[in-house]
Amino acid sequence: ADVIISSGVQVGANTVISSGVKIGKNTIIYPNVSIYYNVVLGENIIIARFVRFQLGETAKKNQETEA
């Protein structure tokens, strides 16, 4: 599956984006982030360094996640 990267997205160095990933507009991805297969990131999200999204996860703005 193809990767969809919307307008205004910023991707940092050493970021891994696997197939099937969808990234919403104006999302900022800092360096050293891993985004695996079929992950969906909503609009206007900021992803900190060294974050890893697993198979099929979804992230939305202002969504809380467990550490």
Side-chain angles (χ1 to χ4, degrees), residues 1-5 17-23 36-40:
D2 294 324
V3 172
I4 298 172
I5 299 177
I17 301 174
S18 297
S19 64
V21 171
K22 297 178 184 178
I23 303 173
Y36 292 111
Y37 305 93
N38 301 319
V39 168
V40 178

Side-chain angles (χ1 to χ4, degrees), residues 38-51:
N38 301 319
V39 168
V40 178
L41 300 176
E43 297 179 354
N44 304 305
I45 294 176
I46 298 174
I47 308 298
R49 294 181 173 107
F50 304 110
V51 171

Side-chain angles (χ1 to χ4, degrees), residues 5-20:
I5 299 177
S6 300
S7 64
V9 172
Q10 299 176 35
V11 179
N14 299 315
T15 294
V16 175
I17 301 174
S18 297
S19 64

